[in-house]
Amino acid sequence: MIKYLTIAFVLILNVSLAQEKLNIVASASMISDMAEQIIGPLHDVEMIVAIGGDPHLHEPTPSNARMVAGADLVLINGLTFEGWITELIENSGTSAKVLTVTQGIQPLTSQTYKNSADPHAWMDVSNATIYADNIAQAMIQLDPKNTATYEKRLANYKAELVALDKEIEATIQSIPQQQRILITSHDAFQYYGKRYGIRLEAIMGISTEAQAQTADIKRVNKVIREQGVPAIFIESTINPKMMQQLAQDNKISIGGKLYADSLGDKDSPASTYVDMLRYNTQTIAAALKQTAEIDDSAHKNTTNYSFIIGLGVVLLLGLGLAIYLSNR
Ligand SMILES: [Zn+2]
């Protein structure tokens, strides 16, 4: 009897403990990973845009609305990254606190759209420490009895971020200076470039909504030829066709797949925020350290054309001479 009572008691205790778990909902996978690092097993963290999805273009589903409705805290990047989120939050009728995790960072202005901020602030690891601080503060407010745990986990995570920041800087600096040019599909790496000293060129702007323009492709083609860029990169959330065409046209390689707006899945080398930044950096450095021949293909084409024109002139002269001789 006592045994059964104990079992019943343990079951009730488990249920009540389970009910105490809070629901934390993050818009994108990078933010949900940062939240998990700080919260650990204390509460549940879910993401709205699934791994591999494009948060710029996400279309909220009814299950997203239910997720937000049941949330205690909603974490968003802001800076117009998730253009659809305000409506989703309003329509869900949630009473959750909404935290913009970029609050307190110095936003960069978009290179393409003069009046808007560039949302990709997480690409600079020193900003990620601000994201982490903001998340930890919100958790302490929401769940003050676990303050010590949040503070400890935050300190450990920030130490990891500081080490990562130094590691990325050293890796990028190991690429010969004139080869530090990063060419991607969309302009997600401005914060990264500014922090770690690498020049950026992208076909599309800071959002993936706009179509690439012929002028943009010409501009990037020119950079590749003039600077002898050895490789360009595709992104995990964007169709690689355009970059593959650009690489083929310039006879250069695709340096690899970078993760900018989403983590990779569990089996990928970029399943956490820290791994994502580390993997991107190693991929970029390995590809850009190769040497490319500056303007080689253009040069070869010119040679071929002069040869064909020369041959044509010789044939015409020969023909003219033959007609002249036969008419004498
Ligand atoms: Zn983006």
Side-chain angles (χ1 to χ4, degrees), residues 30 54-56 81 118-120 122 186-189 205-208 235 237-238 260-262:
M30 302 74 78
D54 182 344
H56 294 288
F81 185 47
D118 182 336
H120 307 92
W122 63 89
H186 95 297
D187 204 2
F189 288 79
I206 49 166
S207 176
T208 47
E235 287 170 62
T237 54
I238 299 176
D261 291 353
S262 168

PDB file of all heavy atoms in Angstrom, residues 30 54-56 81 118-120 122 186-189 205-208 235 237-238 260-262, ligand 1:
ATOM      1  N   MET A  30      18.836  30.514 -34.442  1.00  0.00           N
ATOM      2  CA  MET A  30      20.023  31.012 -33.726  1.00  0.00           C
ATOM      3  C   MET A  30      19.620  31.475 -32.331  1.00  0.00           C
ATOM      4  O   MET A  30      20.308  31.243 -31.342  1.00  0.00           O
ATOM      5  CB  MET A  30      20.665  32.221 -34.430  1.00  0.00           C
ATOM      6  CG  MET A  30      21.099  32.031 -35.842  1.00  0.00           C
ATOM      7  SD  MET A  30      19.701  31.985 -36.988  1.00  0.00           S
ATOM      8  CE  MET A  30      19.237  33.686 -37.181  1.00  0.00           C
ATOM      9  N   ASP A  54      13.648  30.216 -44.264  1.00  0.00           N
ATOM     10  CA  ASP A  54      14.151  31.583 -44.432  1.00  0.00           C
ATOM     11  C   ASP A  54      13.286  32.542 -43.599  1.00  0.00           C
ATOM     12  O   ASP A  54      12.138  32.793 -43.946  1.00  0.00           O
ATOM     13  CB  ASP A  54      14.074  31.952 -45.924  1.00  0.00           C
ATOM     14  CG  ASP A  54      14.625  33.344 -46.201  1.00  0.00           C
ATOM     15  OD1 ASP A  54      14.775  34.128 -45.236  1.00  0.00           O
ATOM     16  OD2 ASP A  54      14.900  33.645 -47.380  1.00  0.00           O
ATOM     17  N   PRO A  55      13.827  33.057 -42.490  1.00  0.00           N
ATOM     18  CA  PRO A  55      13.015  33.912 -41.625  1.00  0.00           C
ATOM     19  C   PRO A  55      12.546  35.210 -42.297  1.00  0.00           C
ATOM     20  O   PRO A  55      11.549  35.790 -41.884  1.00  0.00           O
ATOM     21  CB  PRO A  55      13.947  34.237 -40.443  1.00  0.00           C
ATOM     22  CG  PRO A  55      14.966  33.148 -40.463  1.00  0.00           C
ATOM     23  CD  PRO A  55      15.161  32.818 -41.918  1.00  0.00           C
ATOM     24  N   HIS A  56      13.252  35.671 -43.345  1.00  0.00           N
ATOM     25  CA  HIS A  56      12.796  36.882 -44.051  1.00  0.00           C
ATOM     26  C   HIS A  56      11.454  36.623 -44.738  1.00  0.00           C
ATOM     27  O   HIS A  56      10.631  37.504 -44.854  1.00  0.00           O
ATOM     28  CB  HIS A  56      13.780  37.289 -45.153  1.00  0.00           C
ATOM     29  CG  HIS A  56      15.126  37.720 -44.662  1.00  0.00           C
ATOM     30  ND1 HIS A  56      15.325  38.917 -44.019  1.00  0.00           N
ATOM     31  CD2 HIS A  56      16.340  37.134 -44.753  1.00  0.00           C
ATOM     32  CE1 HIS A  56      16.612  39.038 -43.737  1.00  0.00           C
ATOM     33  NE2 HIS A  56      17.253  37.972 -44.167  1.00  0.00           N
ATOM     34  N   PHE A  81      13.958  41.893 -39.247  1.00  0.00           N
ATOM     35  CA  PHE A  81      14.319  40.543 -39.693  1.00  0.00           C
ATOM     36  C   PHE A  81      13.046  39.724 -39.947  1.00  0.00           C
ATOM     37  O   PHE A  81      12.912  39.062 -40.974  1.00  0.00           O
ATOM     38  CB  PHE A  81      15.173  39.866 -38.621  1.00  0.00           C
ATOM     39  CG  PHE A  81      15.703  38.512 -39.003  1.00  0.00           C
ATOM     40  CD1 PHE A  81      16.295  38.288 -40.239  1.00  0.00           C
ATOM     41  CD2 PHE A  81      15.640  37.451 -38.100  1.00  0.00           C
ATOM     42  CE1 PHE A  81      16.807  37.041 -40.573  1.00  0.00           C
ATOM     43  CE2 PHE A  81      16.159  36.205 -38.422  1.00  0.00           C
ATOM     44  CZ  PHE A  81      16.738  35.999 -39.657  1.00  0.00           C
ATOM     45  N   ASP A 118      20.301  46.922 -40.705  1.00  0.00           N
ATOM     46  CA  ASP A 118      20.661  45.569 -41.131  1.00  0.00           C
ATOM     47  C   ASP A 118      20.347  44.624 -39.962  1.00  0.00           C
ATOM     48  O   ASP A 118      20.861  44.807 -38.858  1.00  0.00           O
ATOM     49  CB  ASP A 118      22.163  45.577 -41.468  1.00  0.00           C
ATOM     50  CG  ASP A 118      22.664  44.237 -41.974  1.00  0.00           C
ATOM     51  OD1 ASP A 118      22.043  43.203 -41.666  1.00  0.00           O
ATOM     52  OD2 ASP A 118      23.708  44.238 -42.648  1.00  0.00           O
ATOM     53  N   PRO A 119      19.502  43.609 -40.172  1.00  0.00           N
ATOM     54  CA  PRO A 119      19.104  42.754 -39.048  1.00  0.00           C
ATOM     55  C   PRO A 119      20.132  41.713 -38.598  1.00  0.00           C
ATOM     56  O   PRO A 119      20.017  41.172 -37.511  1.00  0.00           O
ATOM     57  CB  PRO A 119      17.859  42.030 -39.582  1.00  0.00           C
ATOM     58  CG  PRO A 119      18.012  42.016 -41.065  1.00  0.00           C
ATOM     59  CD  PRO A 119      18.776  43.263 -41.422  1.00  0.00           C
ATOM     60  N   HIS A 120      21.158  41.415 -39.436  1.00  0.00           N
ATOM     61  CA  HIS A 120      22.022  40.251 -39.188  1.00  0.00           C
ATOM     62  C   HIS A 120      23.083  40.473 -38.105  1.00  0.00           C
ATOM     63  O   HIS A 120      24.251  40.094 -38.273  1.00  0.00           O
ATOM     64  CB  HIS A 120      22.690  39.818 -40.496  1.00  0.00           C
ATOM     65  CG  HIS A 120      21.716  39.592 -41.608  1.00  0.00           C
ATOM     66  ND1 HIS A 120      21.357  40.580 -42.496  1.00  0.00           N
ATOM     67  CD2 HIS A 120      20.999  38.500 -41.956  1.00  0.00           C
ATOM     68  CE1 HIS A 120      20.473  40.099 -43.366  1.00  0.00           C
ATOM     69  NE2 HIS A 120      20.230  38.841 -43.060  1.00  0.00           N
ATOM     70  N   TRP A 122      23.705  39.068 -35.308  1.00  0.00           N
ATOM     71  CA  TRP A 122      24.301  37.885 -34.667  1.00  0.00           C
ATOM     72  C   TRP A 122      25.588  37.439 -35.358  1.00  0.00           C
ATOM     73  O   TRP A 122      26.329  36.628 -34.818  1.00  0.00           O
ATOM     74  CB  TRP A 122      23.292  36.729 -34.630  1.00  0.00           C
ATOM     75  CG  TRP A 122      22.876  36.254 -35.994  1.00  0.00           C
ATOM     76  CD1 TRP A 122      23.496  35.293 -36.740  1.00  0.00           C
ATOM     77  CD2 TRP A 122      21.782  36.721 -36.786  1.00  0.00           C
ATOM     78  NE1 TRP A 122      22.848  35.139 -37.949  1.00  0.00           N
ATOM     79  CE2 TRP A 122      21.793  36.004 -38.005  1.00  0.00           C
ATOM     80  CE3 TRP A 122      20.783  37.693 -36.584  1.00  0.00           C
ATOM     81  CZ2 TRP A 122      20.853  36.227 -39.016  1.00  0.00           C
ATOM     82  CZ3 TRP A 122      19.846  37.899 -37.590  1.00  0.00           C
ATOM     83  CH2 TRP A 122      19.888  37.171 -38.784  1.00  0.00           C
ATOM     84  N   HIS A 186      23.039  36.769 -50.396  1.00  0.00           N
ATOM     85  CA  HIS A 186      22.378  37.936 -49.813  1.00  0.00           C
ATOM     86  C   HIS A 186      23.265  38.563 -48.752  1.00  0.00           C
ATOM     87  O   HIS A 186      24.181  37.949 -48.233  1.00  0.00           O
ATOM     88  CB  HIS A 186      20.957  37.590 -49.347  1.00  0.00           C
ATOM     89  CG  HIS A 186      20.795  37.210 -47.914  1.00  0.00           C
ATOM     90  ND1 HIS A 186      21.381  36.104 -47.353  1.00  0.00           N
ATOM     91  CD2 HIS A 186      20.082  37.791 -46.917  1.00  0.00           C
ATOM     92  CE1 HIS A 186      21.025  36.024 -46.078  1.00  0.00           C
ATOM     93  NE2 HIS A 186      20.250  37.034 -45.790  1.00  0.00           N
ATOM     94  N   ASP A 187      22.994  39.842 -48.509  1.00  0.00           N
ATOM     95  CA  ASP A 187      23.919  40.667 -47.752  1.00  0.00           C
ATOM     96  C   ASP A 187      23.810  40.439 -46.242  1.00  0.00           C
ATOM     97  O   ASP A 187      23.406  41.332 -45.511  1.00  0.00           O
ATOM     98  CB  ASP A 187      23.621  42.132 -48.102  1.00  0.00           C
ATOM     99  CG  ASP A 187      24.825  43.027 -47.875  1.00  0.00           C
ATOM    100  OD1 ASP A 187      25.884  42.499 -47.490  1.00  0.00           O
ATOM    101  OD2 ASP A 187      24.700  44.245 -48.072  1.00  0.00           O
ATOM    102  N   ALA A 188      24.162  39.229 -45.782  1.00  0.00           N
ATOM    103  CA  ALA A 188      23.962  38.879 -44.376  1.00  0.00           C
ATOM    104  C   ALA A 188      25.237  39.018 -43.552  1.00  0.00           C
ATOM    105  O   ALA A 188      25.229  38.787 -42.349  1.00  0.00           O
ATOM    106  CB  ALA A 188      23.455  37.442 -44.269  1.00  0.00           C
ATOM    107  N   PHE A 189      26.343  39.395 -44.193  1.00  0.00           N
ATOM    108  CA  PHE A 189      27.636  39.301 -43.511  1.00  0.00           C
ATOM    109  C   PHE A 189      28.294  40.647 -43.207  1.00  0.00           C
ATOM    110  O   PHE A 189      29.476  40.700 -42.938  1.00  0.00           O
ATOM    111  CB  PHE A 189      28.599  38.429 -44.334  1.00  0.00           C
ATOM    112  CG  PHE A 189      28.249  36.960 -44.301  1.00  0.00           C
ATOM    113  CD1 PHE A 189      27.231  36.446 -45.094  1.00  0.00           C
ATOM    114  CD2 PHE A 189      28.919  36.085 -43.446  1.00  0.00           C
ATOM    115  CE1 PHE A 189      26.902  35.098 -45.057  1.00  0.00           C
ATOM    116  CE2 PHE A 189      28.601  34.733 -43.400  1.00  0.00           C
ATOM    117  CZ  PHE A 189      27.582  34.236 -44.207  1.00  0.00           C
ATOM    118  N   GLY A 205      20.211  42.237 -51.554  1.00  0.00           N
ATOM    119  CA  GLY A 205      20.352  43.114 -50.397  1.00  0.00           C
ATOM    120  C   GLY A 205      20.229  42.368 -49.080  1.00  0.00           C
ATOM    121  O   GLY A 205      20.396  41.152 -49.027  1.00  0.00           O
ATOM    122  N   ILE A 206      19.911  43.118 -47.995  1.00  0.00           N
ATOM    123  CA  ILE A 206      19.844  42.507 -46.663  1.00  0.00           C
ATOM    124  C   ILE A 206      18.628  41.618 -46.481  1.00  0.00           C
ATOM    125  O   ILE A 206      18.562  40.851 -45.541  1.00  0.00           O
ATOM    126  CB  ILE A 206      19.824  43.553 -45.517  1.00  0.00           C
ATOM    127  CG1 ILE A 206      18.775  44.631 -45.796  1.00  0.00           C
ATOM    128  CG2 ILE A 206      21.191  44.114 -45.278  1.00  0.00           C
ATOM    129  CD1 ILE A 206      18.461  45.476 -44.589  1.00  0.00           C
ATOM    130  N   SER A 207      17.643  41.729 -47.348  1.00  0.00           N
ATOM    131  CA  SER A 207      16.526  40.798 -47.282  1.00  0.00           C
ATOM    132  C   SER A 207      16.601  39.920 -48.510  1.00  0.00           C
ATOM    133  O   SER A 207      17.221  40.290 -49.501  1.00  0.00           O
ATOM    134  CB  SER A 207      15.195  41.531 -47.254  1.00  0.00           C
ATOM    135  OG  SER A 207      14.154  40.571 -47.271  1.00  0.00           O
ATOM    136  N   THR A 208      15.974  38.746 -48.429  1.00  0.00           N
ATOM    137  CA  THR A 208      15.979  37.858 -49.591  1.00  0.00           C
ATOM    138  C   THR A 208      14.743  38.101 -50.447  1.00  0.00           C
ATOM    139  O   THR A 208      14.498  37.404 -51.417  1.00  0.00           O
ATOM    140  CB  THR A 208      16.007  36.395 -49.128  1.00  0.00           C
ATOM    141  OG1 THR A 208      15.019  36.232 -48.113  1.00  0.00           O
ATOM    142  CG2 THR A 208      17.355  36.027 -48.577  1.00  0.00           C
ATOM    143  N   GLU A 235      24.326  29.769 -49.674  1.00  0.00           N
ATOM    144  CA  GLU A 235      23.779  29.842 -48.314  1.00  0.00           C
ATOM    145  C   GLU A 235      22.722  28.764 -48.104  1.00  0.00           C
ATOM    146  O   GLU A 235      21.985  28.423 -49.031  1.00  0.00           O
ATOM    147  CB  GLU A 235      23.152  31.225 -48.075  1.00  0.00           C
ATOM    148  CG  GLU A 235      24.187  32.317 -47.916  1.00  0.00           C
ATOM    149  CD  GLU A 235      23.551  33.689 -47.924  1.00  0.00           C
ATOM    150  OE1 GLU A 235      22.737  33.973 -47.037  1.00  0.00           O
ATOM    151  OE2 GLU A 235      23.857  34.476 -48.832  1.00  0.00           O
ATOM    152  N   THR A 237      19.884  28.687 -46.708  1.00  0.00           N
ATOM    153  CA  THR A 237      18.451  28.982 -46.814  1.00  0.00           C
ATOM    154  C   THR A 237      18.064  29.543 -48.184  1.00  0.00           C
ATOM    155  O   THR A 237      16.930  29.940 -48.394  1.00  0.00           O
ATOM    156  CB  THR A 237      18.015  30.005 -45.742  1.00  0.00           C
ATOM    157  OG1 THR A 237      18.857  31.162 -45.865  1.00  0.00           O
ATOM    158  CG2 THR A 237      18.140  29.449 -44.350  1.00  0.00           C
ATOM    159  N   ILE A 238      19.035  29.614 -49.115  1.00  0.00           N
ATOM    160  CA  ILE A 238      18.773  30.269 -50.409  1.00  0.00           C
ATOM    161  C   ILE A 238      19.113  29.337 -51.568  1.00  0.00           C
ATOM    162  O   ILE A 238      20.142  28.652 -51.540  1.00  0.00           O
ATOM    163  CB  ILE A 238      19.583  31.587 -50.509  1.00  0.00           C
ATOM    164  CG1 ILE A 238      19.158  32.535 -49.379  1.00  0.00           C
ATOM    165  CG2 ILE A 238      19.393  32.261 -51.866  1.00  0.00           C
ATOM    166  CD1 ILE A 238      19.918  33.807 -49.306  1.00  0.00           C
ATOM    167  N   ALA A 260      23.666  31.493 -42.603  1.00  0.00           N
ATOM    168  CA  ALA A 260      23.550  32.891 -42.181  1.00  0.00           C
ATOM    169  C   ALA A 260      22.276  33.134 -41.385  1.00  0.00           C
ATOM    170  O   ALA A 260      22.320  33.651 -40.272  1.00  0.00           O
ATOM    171  CB  ALA A 260      23.584  33.804 -43.391  1.00  0.00           C
ATOM    172  N   ASP A 261      21.133  32.726 -41.938  1.00  0.00           N
ATOM    173  CA  ASP A 261      19.857  33.064 -41.317  1.00  0.00           C
ATOM    174  C   ASP A 261      19.207  31.887 -40.592  1.00  0.00           C
ATOM    175  O   ASP A 261      18.102  32.007 -40.073  1.00  0.00           O
ATOM    176  CB  ASP A 261      18.882  33.599 -42.384  1.00  0.00           C
ATOM    177  CG  ASP A 261      19.319  34.968 -42.903  1.00  0.00           C
ATOM    178  OD1 ASP A 261      20.276  35.527 -42.346  1.00  0.00           O
ATOM    179  OD2 ASP A 261      18.714  35.461 -43.861  1.00  0.00           O
ATOM    180  N   SER A 262      19.889  30.740 -40.595  1.00  0.00           N
ATOM    181  CA  SER A 262      19.368  29.571 -39.888  1.00  0.00           C
ATOM    182  C   SER A 262      20.533  28.675 -39.497  1.00  0.00           C
ATOM    183  O   SER A 262      21.528  28.605 -40.224  1.00  0.00           O
ATOM    184  CB  SER A 262      18.419  28.782 -40.791  1.00  0.00           C
ATOM    185  OG  SER A 262      18.123  27.513 -40.218  1.00  0.00           O
TER     186      SER A 262
HETATM  187 ZN    ZN B   1      19.191  37.458 -44.084  1.00  0.00          ZN
END
